[in-house]
Amino acid sequence: MATSVTADFRTRLQDWLPKVVLAPSFAVILLFVYGFIAFTVVLSFTGSKMLPKWDFIGFENYAKLFALQHWSTAVTNLAIFATLYIVICTLVGLALAIFLDQKIRGEGLLRPIYLYPMALSFIVTGTAWKWFLDPGIGLEKTMRLWGWESFSFTWIKDNDMAIYTIVIAAVWQTSGFVMAMFLAGLRGIDNEILKAAQIDGASNWQLYRRIVIPLLRPAFLSAFVILFHLAIKSYDLVVALTGGGPGRSTEMPATFMYSYTFTRNQMGIGASSAVIMLMTIAAIMIPYLYSELKEKK
Amino acid sequence: MAAVTQDTAVSTGRITRTFIYVVLIVFALFYLLPLYVMGVNSVKPLAEITGGNMMALPQTWTIEPWLSAWSTAQIGVEPTGLKPYFLNSLLMVVPAVAISTVVGALNGYVLTKWRFRGDTWVFGLMLFSCFIPFQIVLIPMAVVLGKLGLAGSVPGLVLVHVVYGIGFTTLYYRNYYAAFPTELVRAAMMDGAGFFQIFWRIMLPVSGPITVVSVIWQFTNIWNDFLFGASFGGTSQPMTVALNNLVQSSTGVKEYNVHFAGAILAALPTLFVYIVAGRYFVRGLMAGSVKG
């Protein structure tokens, strides 16, 4: 216990100091994240057009939103994109990680090659692939120049196929990262377990299917969570690669929200679409973060 | 049986190994292809691109597209090249990275060494902010930046990036400091060291690696951001937005070679960081996903 008043003041200051240091960040997060979320949620129940307006109209925006062909296109596209993106990235990442884990010569060279796309902006990726996939100048033309006259690859101009070009570019960008996550998981597995299984006569295939892949569960979970939230947030890549087109064939919720809010002056509907996006991510992220933080205690 | 290595103990036959090498090399080519195509075509005259093969090396080499992308290409309505936007990005990224990293270090220190009731909740709320779709904050952010008079300015973008970067930097430092022995901090407290003294003398000297991770992560994320730049950039648009304007411009002949030079210019800073400090880059990615 402190005896003098000044000493007492100093101790109390020391007690408070940590909270005083943390407080501004916490306040900023409360305001700019949770306050803003509340703002957008409230806005989604108003008839705001070009500017926020506080005339409450109940669930009308949500009713309109789900009646819009434009929105269902965006949601369908996201479902196709997210499913393929997550599944292909996981498969490619896992395969590359397992292959790289076989005492490969030149691993130190290959790994950075697989991973560098992750350092690029989606706008750069989109620019590169947009051109590469353009039939008039990219892959199709090159194949024809090389003598494969009937080669045709026009997905990016095709209403039904354009969404898959976004999958290609997105997989190119992130699969190396998923590889790194699985590789870290593989390197953490005790070799003794594998040796014991081999002595028991397990084949390589059995070894991976029965022992290694189940042990990689945490890596699968992390990869899924990361890819899932990246998929829902994907905006830049669509803008750079297809601009949502041709037509609306590659529109996604993120591009929908932007155009309804800022170019079509339907702010209420834009806000309601953002709320739906947040709820979708929260449904996965909150249980995930909750269990992660709980374990750590 | 093979000698002990850090790799798997699985033994593979010759055919399997050949197959594995082929797959690995094919994928390496897949990842390198777009970079090669961009690089090669950024030093070709336009006629060679439209008339020739995109895989071929240039017949006449030229740095004209690079000069044009940097200083004369039409971005939006002004023929300024990407130079001013590159500067905007730099002016935005340096303070945003510095502030968010310092704040994250202090937060991580408090959350691990000065724990209090409910600190996990505080951290959880900060952590969730890393994963929100930013569409949910765009409208109120536009309103607030307007009220603060920061709309369309570099300081406005710095503010936005600091706010939405704190979650990540706090996560990094918190996980890193959690592994640091609390006994040392206790001992220093017994000796009468204060809050900032302990941070300065004990925590900071061991924070090198995580600071590199945090700086690289923030730098890459903020440099590559497009959504905030496009929404709040105004007259101070960052590089990504300018590149998109350059590439998407519908007027005149499409100068593909200039687009590629521009794309590489936009990618250079983060690529450079990746090449110099790739190890830390990977660690940052992992820390953002796997618990520390």
Side-chain angles (χ1 to χ4, degrees):
Chain A
M1 266 297 150
T3 43
S4 75
V5 179
T6 43
D8 190 41
F9 174 73
R10 277 203 54 180
T11 336
R12 287 190 38 200
L13 184 69
Q14 286 298 335
D15 283 348
W16 279 101
L17 207 45
K19 283 170 198 156
V20 171
V21 167
L22 190 63
S25 304
F26 191 53
V28 158
I29 295 283
L30 280 185
L31 175 70
F32 282 83
V33 177
Y34 299 96
F36 280 13
I37 289 175
F39 185 106
T40 308
V41 170
V42 173
L43 203 63
S44 73
F45 292 106
T46 69
S48 304
K49 295 282 184 254
M50 206 173 118
L51 291 165
K53 207 167 52 165
W54 306 106
D55 57 327
F56 289 94
I57 55 168
F59 281 90
E60 210 175 289
N61 286 326
Y62 290 91
K64 273 190 206 153
L65 179 70
F66 282 101
L68 276 172
Q69 183 63 43
H70 197 159
W71 173 251
S72 20
T73 310
V75 171
T76 314
N77 281 336
L78 177 62
I80 298 173
F81 168 72
T83 310
L84 289 173
Y85 172 62
I86 294 172
V87 170
I88 298 175
C89 272
T90 308
L91 289 179
V92 170
L94 181 64
L96 289 179
I98 289 178
F99 286 175
L100 263 190
D101 198 34
Q102 310 296 330
K103 296 183 216 88
I104 292 302
R105 262 194 242 172
E107 190 202 315
L109 183 69
L110 288 169
R111 232 179 1 187
I113 291 177
Y114 295 165
L115 247 157
Y116 88 90
M118 199 65 191
L120 304 180
S121 148
F122 275 116
I123 301 292
V124 173
T125 303
T127 305
W129 280 97
K130 181 194 174 100
W131 190 80
F132 187 81
L133 296 170
D134 189 320
I137 197 145
L139 182 65
E140 181 179 292
K141 185 183 165 209
T142 305
M143 284 305 190
R144 288 185 181 175
L145 283 173
W146 278 347
W148 187 348
E149 296 291 344
S150 60
F151 184 87
S152 168
F153 194 81
T154 55
W155 284 11
I156 202 164
K157 305 268 183 214
D158 183 334
N159 279 335
D160 296 325
M161 304 306 279
I163 187 75
Y164 302 108
T165 62
I166 298 187
V167 176
I168 296 175
V171 166
W172 179 81
Q173 175 120 356
T174 7
S175 48
F177 166 50
V178 179
M179 180 280 298
M181 289 173 70
F182 281 122
L183 194 59
L186 285 170
R187 296 276 151 90
I189 293 175
D190 187 358
N191 265 348
E192 295 305 315
I193 303 174
L194 302 184
K195 279 185 192 149
Q198 273 188 324
I199 291 165
D200 285 346
S203 71
N204 284 347
W205 173 247
Q206 281 174 325
L207 199 65
Y208 275 97
R209 245 206 65 187
R210 298 272 175 79
I211 299 172
V212 176
I213 291 178
L215 281 172
L216 287 176
R217 247 187 68 174
F220 273 101
L221 184 63
S222 309
F224 172 75
V225 167
I226 293 295
L227 293 171
F228 178 80
H229 96 99
L230 282 179
I232 292 184
K233 287 160 102 170
S234 49
Y235 173 75
D236 328 10
L237 185 61
V238 181
V239 169
L241 190 63
T242 63
R248 285 175 192 164
S249 58
T250 53
E251 198 78 70
M252 299 253 204
T255 54
F256 174 96
M257 186 275 167
Y258 199 89
S259 68
Y260 266 72
T261 308
F262 297 112
T263 51
R264 288 162 173 257
N265 297 328
Q266 294 282 348
M267 194 175 269
I269 293 179
S272 61
S273 68
V275 172
I276 302 289
M277 288 175 68
L278 177 73
M279 292 204 309
T280 316
I281 286 188
I284 299 281
M285 287 319 292
I286 290 178
Y288 174 72
L289 293 178
Y290 186 76
S291 67
E292 290 275 294
L293 290 174
K294 225 176 142 188
E295 274 172 43
K296 269 194 211 166
K297 267 189 179 164
Chain B
M1 186 85 28
V4 181
T5 62
Q6 57 160 7
D7 297 312
T8 156
V10 176
S11 50
T12 39
R14 211 181 194 162
I15 299 165
T16 323
R17 283 195 80 74
T18 315
F19 172 73
I20 288 174
Y21 273 102
V22 169
V23 171
L24 288 175
I25 290 167
V26 166
F27 269 94
L29 294 177
F30 169 65
Y31 290 115
L32 284 174
L33 193 60
L35 192 68
Y36 169 80
V37 168
M38 280 202 293
V40 158
N41 289 291
S42 73
V43 287
K44 277 182 196 171
L46 191 58
E48 237 182 87
I49 298 181
T50 45
N53 188 325
M54 68 167 172
M55 301 298 288
L57 288 171
Q59 278 152 357
T60 20
W61 295 72
T62 166
I63 57 156
E64 211 45 57
W66 284 76
L67 297 176
S68 164
W70 180 246
S71 53
T72 59
Q74 184 103 4
I75 313 284
V77 284
E78 300 285 340
T80 56
L82 290 167
K83 187 167 70 177
Y85 302 94
F86 195 89
L87 281 178
N88 283 345
S89 272
L90 270 185
L91 289 175
M92 165 186 84
V93 88
V94 171
V97 169
I99 297 170
S100 57
T101 299
V102 170
V103 169
L106 284 166
N107 288 346
Y109 168 53
V110 172
L111 286 168
T112 51
K113 303 303 169 207
W114 299 82
R115 300 194 58 174
F116 52 91
R117 268 179 69 91
D119 58 355
T120 310
W121 277 101
V122 170
F123 177 60
L125 286 172
M126 292 178 119
L127 191 55
F128 182 67
S129 76
C130 302
F131 299 99
I132 56 166
F134 290 124
Q135 280 75 17
I136 197 82
V137 299
L138 282 185
I139 304 170
M141 192 48 128
V143 174
V144 167
L145 286 177
K147 290 246 162 77
L148 292 174
L150 292 175
S153 73
V154 169
L157 288 175
V158 171
L159 173 74
V160 175
H161 286 299
V162 168
V163 167
Y164 300 108
I166 289 178
F168 275 111
T169 55
T170 302
L171 166 72
Y172 291 150
Y173 282 96
R174 179 189 182 267
N175 285 350
Y176 187 77
Y177 288 156
F180 184 81
T182 307
E183 294 76 41
L184 279 177
V185 178
R186 291 251 169 76
M189 275 191 246
M190 295 294 181
D191 290 345
F195 176 85
F196 282 111
Q197 239 177 333
I198 295 173
F199 180 67
W200 195 253
R201 295 274 189 77
I202 300 179
M203 305 310 285
L204 267 194
V206 299
S207 305
I210 200 65
T211 303
V212 178
V213 168
S214 172
V215 165
I216 290 179
W217 173 265
Q218 285 297 93
F219 179 83
T220 314
N221 255 6
I222 299 174
W223 185 276
N224 287 342
D225 161 73
F226 176 76
L227 183 62
F228 287 141
S231 310
F232 312 127
T235 50
S236 317
Q237 284 169 343
M239 191 69 174
T240 46
V241 179
L243 173 65
N244 192 51
N245 285 343
L246 170 71
V247 174
Q248 309 285 358
S249 71
S250 45
T251 49
V253 189
K254 279 210 179 297
E255 295 183 290
Y256 295 107
N257 48 1
V258 177
H259 298 177
F260 287 137
I264 299 177
L265 280 171
L268 270 186
T270 50
L271 266 186
F272 175 76
V273 166
Y274 175 68
I275 289 164
V276 175
R279 210 156 45 92
Y280 292 96
F281 178 79
V282 177
R283 239 198 273 172
L285 286 174
M286 310 291 279
S289 54
V290 191
K291 54 186 168 174

